[in-house]
């Protein structure tokens, strides 16, 4: 861990990252990509020492309340958060100034802030987003080695739903030849149904790879699944979008399940829900959370 003095925090689209880098160790992590210009060891977490000052200043200057996104590039509930408390203090500022928040994480540590997120949801709006990709715990420990298992994340989602805080699941990536099975997808979907999630972000079965993330991913394939890297290279070459051959089977299964259970499942409708402070907010106030590079 190291500290930096940041010049800005909120992106133009109202996304923020209090930390940069990650210790989850997910083998498919896009945030390792060279295009994000993380110029330190990825596991050496960069902490924006003045983040809370920058956030309060930005909130004071805004003329209209909106949703603030966090966690898209670096999980805001890394282990060090339990010591530093930057995320909790940021949430308190959002509550104090009447802003909404959409938090994205893979950690059940977010349960620490359940009551605070419930308060934000009562005053403005809060959405808890959780990434779920792997139903089997054994495979999960390989692909996401330093993250709590899927079952623990589902328990957290259930707790927030019971507290009246809406939840969204990011069901991605679905890695070709690894977790692109009907069994894996069906398990996660059943869990989402039982946890009462509002919507699921799903871009089809596949993964994207860029310079930086591709090299790390292939190194981990060599380590855990000898020979699989060669299959990827033969099938996809240097493509950015790697669509699974199983997508034709899995995508209809996904959409049918969500339709049956009344879940938002088209990316545009899920994003509309995430971007909107309240359902009745005018279109002009629907601010994007997609760019979390602040």
């Amino acid at each position: 861990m190291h500290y930096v003095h940041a010049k800005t925090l909120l992106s133009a689209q109202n996304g923020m990252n209090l930390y940069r880098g990650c210790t989850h160790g997910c083998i498919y992590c896009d945030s390792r990509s060279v295009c994000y210009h993380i110029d330190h060891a990825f596991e050496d977490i960069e902490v924006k020492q003045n983040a809370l000052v920058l956030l309060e200043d930005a909130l004071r200057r805004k003329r209209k309340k909106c949703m603030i996104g966090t966690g898209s590039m670096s999980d805001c509930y890394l282990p060090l958060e339990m010591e530093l408390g930057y995320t909790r203090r940021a949430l308190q500022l959002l509550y104090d100034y009447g802003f909404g928040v959409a938090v994205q994480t893979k950690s059940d540590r977010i349960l620490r802030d359940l009551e605070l997120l419930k308060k934000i949801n009562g005053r403005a709006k809060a959405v808890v987003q959780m990434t779920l990709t792997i139903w089997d715990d054994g495979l999960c420990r390989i692909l996401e080695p330093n993250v709590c298992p899927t079952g623990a994340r589902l328990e957290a989602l259930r707790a927030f739903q019971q507290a009246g805080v809406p939840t969204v699941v990011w069901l991605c990536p679905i890695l070709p030849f690894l977790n692109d099975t009907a069994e894996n997808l069906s398990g996660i979907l059943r869990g989402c149904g039982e946890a009462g999630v509002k919507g699921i972000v799903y871009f089809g079965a596949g993964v994207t790879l860029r310079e930086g993330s591709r090299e790390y991913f292939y190194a981990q394939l060599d380590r855990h699944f000898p020979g699989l890297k060669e299959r990827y290279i033969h099938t996809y070459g240097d493509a950015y979008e790697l669509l699974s051959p199983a997508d034709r089977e899995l995508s209809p299964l996904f959409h049918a399940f969500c339709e049956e259970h009344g879940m938002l499942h088209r990316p545009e409708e899920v994003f509309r829900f995430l971007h909107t402070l309240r359902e009745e907010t005018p279109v002009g106030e629907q601010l994007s959370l997609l760019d979390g590079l602040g």
Side-chain angles (χ1 to χ4, degrees):
M1 180 184 74
H2 65 281
Y3 290 94
V4 298
H5 191 85
K7 294 182 179 179
T8 60
L9 184 69
L10 288 186
S11 71
Q13 290 75 30
N14 297 296
M16 67 175 179
N17 285 292
L18 305 168
Y19 310 119
R20 276 167 60 87
C22 190
T23 55
H24 286 342
C26 303
I27 75 169
Y28 51 76
C29 181
D30 179 66
S31 294
R32 293 180 181 273
S33 299
V34 171
C35 64
Y36 297 122
H37 306 291
I38 295 181
D39 55 3
H40 54 84
F42 194 69
E43 290 76 15
D44 178 18
I45 308 303
E46 179 181 286
V47 180
K48 297 178 181 178
Q49 190 169 17
N50 58 331
L52 298 169
V53 173
L54 291 172
L55 176 60
E56 186 165 17
D57 181 65
L59 297 180
R60 282 175 176 164
R61 292 171 180 271
K62 284 192 174 293
R63 293 187 296 173
K64 292 183 178 181
K65 309 301 184 190
C66 63
M67 294 291 286
I68 304 294
T70 189
S72 64
M73 282 291 298
S74 180
D75 200 312
C76 47
Y77 286 97
L78 295 171
L80 58 75
E81 163 60 23
M82 307 310 281
E83 172 188 350
L84 299 180
Y86 277 41
T87 297
R88 182 169 181 82
R89 284 183 279 169
L91 293 177
Q92 185 64 53
L93 283 172
L94 294 178
Y95 173 75
D96 292 343
Y97 283 88
F99 284 76
V101 67
V103 184
Q104 189 170 349
T105 184
K106 289 182 182 175
S107 176
D108 59 356
R109 296 184 191 93
I110 193 175
L111 287 169
R112 180 200 64 183
D113 294 333
L114 186 149
E115 290 301 323
L116 181 50
L117 285 160
K118 183 178 177 180
K119 285 172 58 179
I120 294 173
N121 193 53
R123 174 173 288 186
K125 181 178 175 180
V127 184
V128 170
Q129 304 170 81
M130 193 76 74
T131 299
L132 305 175
T133 63
I134 307 141
W135 185 246
D136 177 77
D137 281 351
L139 185 60
C140 185
R141 283 191 291 270
I142 296 173
L143 302 185
E144 303 170 337
N146 302 320
V147 187
C148 65
T150 297
R153 286 176 253 176
L154 285 167
E155 285 297 325
L157 289 171
R158 187 176 294 109
F160 279 101
Q161 191 275 335
Q162 291 172 350
V165 177
T167 59
V168 164
V169 162
W170 287 71
L171 208 171
C172 53
I174 301 297
L175 300 168
F177 321 126
L178 280 171
N179 62 332
D180 57 342
T181 66
E183 179 183 10
N184 181 65
L185 184 64
S186 296
I188 295 173
L189 290 174
R190 286 196 307 271
C192 290
E194 293 168 1
V197 305
K198 174 78 173 181
I200 303 177
V201 178
Y202 177 77
F203 299 110
V207 66
T208 58
L209 294 177
R210 292 188 265 210
E211 181 184 0
S213 61
R214 182 188 306 274
E215 290 78 5
Y216 185 82
F217 179 65
Y218 281 168
Q220 298 310 305
L221 289 186
D222 277 342
R223 178 183 176 190
H224 297 290
F225 308 99
L228 189 54
K229 178 184 73 175
E230 286 71 25
R231 186 177 182 186
Y232 266 81
I233 293 171
H234 175 76
T235 305
Y236 300 108
D238 292 327
Y240 168 62
E241 296 182 356
L242 286 61
L243 186 67
S244 166
D247 181 65
R248 287 187 178 182
E249 172 192 4
L250 299 183
S251 285
L253 187 159
F254 167 78
H255 291 295
F257 183 95
C258 292
E259 289 281 357
E260 180 181 350
H261 291 80
M263 296 179 185
L264 302 177
H265 58 101
R266 304 289 178 188
E268 62 273 14
E269 62 186 7
V270 182
F271 292 147
R272 187 178 303 116
F273 174 73
L274 291 171
H275 301 168
T276 307
L277 189 59
R278 281 298 184 202
E279 298 292 344
E280 66 275 11
T281 302
V283 172
E285 293 183 34
Q286 295 179 1
L287 300 177
S288 172
L289 303 179
L290 292 180
D291 181 359
L293 303 184

